[in-house]
Amino acid sequence: PNVYRDVVERWLQSDARIAVCCRTRVTELTIDGNRIVEVEASGPDGPLRLRPRAVIDASGTGEVVRLADPGLLHDSPQRAAGGLIVRLRGVAPGAVAFPTGSTGHWLRRC
């Protein structure tokens, strides 16, 4: 998990347009049509107001969907929030290092 976290952090840092807001709670959304145009949040450094081009809800509980439209949320006690961490054994040193020459272009296509 630590190697995975480190690689992902480096990918995210390679694109200055991506803001990662850890330990931050979305408190309000402004929606225009079917697009989130503003996000208000509260985090360790105080309140934030963001005008994002895209939002990734990594809360594990669908907090952004809940604020956008509770009718879109499918709560189910049988389902867990998505997430997968894989531990690899027997991998050559450096095989999971940050990809050489990558500038994070794959993030923009997602």
Side-chain angles (χ1 to χ4, degrees):
N2 292 337
V3 171
Y4 175 78
R5 182 197 64 232
D6 293 344
V7 169
V8 170
E9 283 177 358
R10 284 184 290 214
W11 280 337
L12 293 172
Q13 290 168 357
S14 73
D15 191 329
R17 297 174 296 169
I18 298 173
V20 178
C21 304
C22 296
R23 294 178 301 280
T24 301
R25 180 178 194 92
V26 175
T27 57
E28 190 173 329
L29 300 175
T30 302
I31 298 173
D32 184 10
N34 64 353
R35 180 159 165 42
I36 297 172
V37 295
E38 189 170 84
V39 175
E40 291 184 35
S42 179
D45 297 326
L48 297 167
R49 188 176 293 246
L50 306 167
R51 295 188 62 81
R53 290 178 59 195
V55 177
I56 297 172
D57 181 353
S59 66
T61 57
E63 294 305 312
V64 172
V65 173
R66 193 179 310 278
L67 287 169
D69 183 350
L72 296 174
L73 190 65
H74 299 283
D75 276 328
S76 171
Q78 288 81 29
R79 293 186 189 153
L84 179 62
I85 296 175
V86 178
R87 289 182 186 248
L88 302 174
R89 292 192 176 113
V91 177
V96 293
F98 187 64
T100 305
S102 174
T103 58
H105 294 290
W106 67 274
L107 289 170
R108 289 190 283 279
R109 290 194 304 262
C110 293

